[in-house]
Amino acid sequence: MTNESAPGAGTSAPEWPRRLWESWWQLLGLHAPLSGDVTQAIDTAAVRAVGSQLGFININERASGDPDLERRIVENVASYGRQLSQLLAAVGVLIEHRDGESLDDDDQAALDGLLGLREQIGEEKQRTRRARVDRLEHELERFRDDPGVDPADLARLRRALEKSPES
């Protein structure tokens, strides 16, 4: 049975849309799923990482001299962000306490850029803290206004907020 009104007369009706798409895909150098040659890079790290955290801390084993050591440092000592923060703080101290030596414009711009980066990171941390407080405040208000809330739970939350950071 043919559909003469469909493009590609003499082609069955269910067949012509598929051929149309195939011709467009071929024109663009694409292949339909499960058709033609397929080249795909498969990252075996996902297979090796079964049972460990995948996606939050990804150590590139080819770029790391000792990926196991690097993973332990990030997991047990300090995240990359914390390491960067410490470096920026220490270099900032050195920059601010240098002995008035004069620098050319490029060197001064590099130091100013680093101090600017440190300032931007501090501002982003503040924005994140404020957003966190906003979320907590919203959740506490919802909890407080819940008709089934246990007053003992509210008291626990008040005590938790009154504790000093040192305790």
Side-chain angles (χ1 to χ4, degrees):
M1 175 181 235
T2 61
N3 183 345
E4 298 298 327
S5 65
T11 305
S12 65
E15 182 105 2
W16 77 264
R18 182 183 58 81
R19 288 193 180 181
L20 177 66
W21 279 110
E22 284 177 354
S23 66
W24 276 101
W25 289 348
Q26 289 170 357
L27 181 67
L28 297 172
L30 303 173
H31 294 281
L34 305 175
S35 69
D37 294 335
V38 176
T39 303
Q40 178 179 2
I42 297 174
D43 184 6
T44 58
V47 175
R48 287 190 310 272
V50 172
S52 66
Q53 190 169 9
L54 178 65
F56 182 68
I57 299 172
N58 290 318
I59 309 295
N60 183 334
E61 293 186 10
R62 289 181 294 271
S64 174
D66 188 342
D68 290 329
L69 174 61
E70 190 170 339
R71 189 173 290 107
R72 285 193 309 271
I73 290 170
V74 170
E75 290 173 354
N76 301 326
V77 179
S79 68
Y80 290 125
R82 191 169 303 269
Q83 292 175 45
L84 178 61
S85 180
Q86 289 290 317
L87 284 169
L88 286 172
V91 172
V93 169
L94 295 174
I95 291 170
E96 292 164 1
H97 290 88
R98 68 178 193 262
D99 294 330
E101 59 190 83
S102 64
L103 301 173
D104 66 27
D105 290 343
D106 289 340
D107 291 344
Q108 187 62 49
L111 295 179
D112 291 344
L114 187 66
L115 292 175
L117 177 63
R118 183 179 68 168
E119 185 176 324
Q120 288 175 336
I121 290 171
E123 291 168 357
E124 187 61 33
K125 286 180 177 181
Q126 276 303 110
R127 277 191 293 276
T128 301
R129 283 185 196 107
R130 282 192 300 273
R132 187 175 176 197
V133 167
D134 290 345
R135 285 191 309 270
L136 284 169
E137 180 181 31
H138 176 73
E139 281 300 311
L140 287 171
E141 288 170 354
R142 286 184 56 214
F143 187 75
R144 180 199 62 212
D145 295 341
D146 183 344
V149 71
D150 184 345
D153 289 335
L154 285 173
R156 271 182 56 210
L157 290 172
R158 284 189 188 95
R159 284 193 304 273
L161 287 171
E162 292 170 357
K163 287 182 183 176
S164 68
E166 295 84 35
S167 58

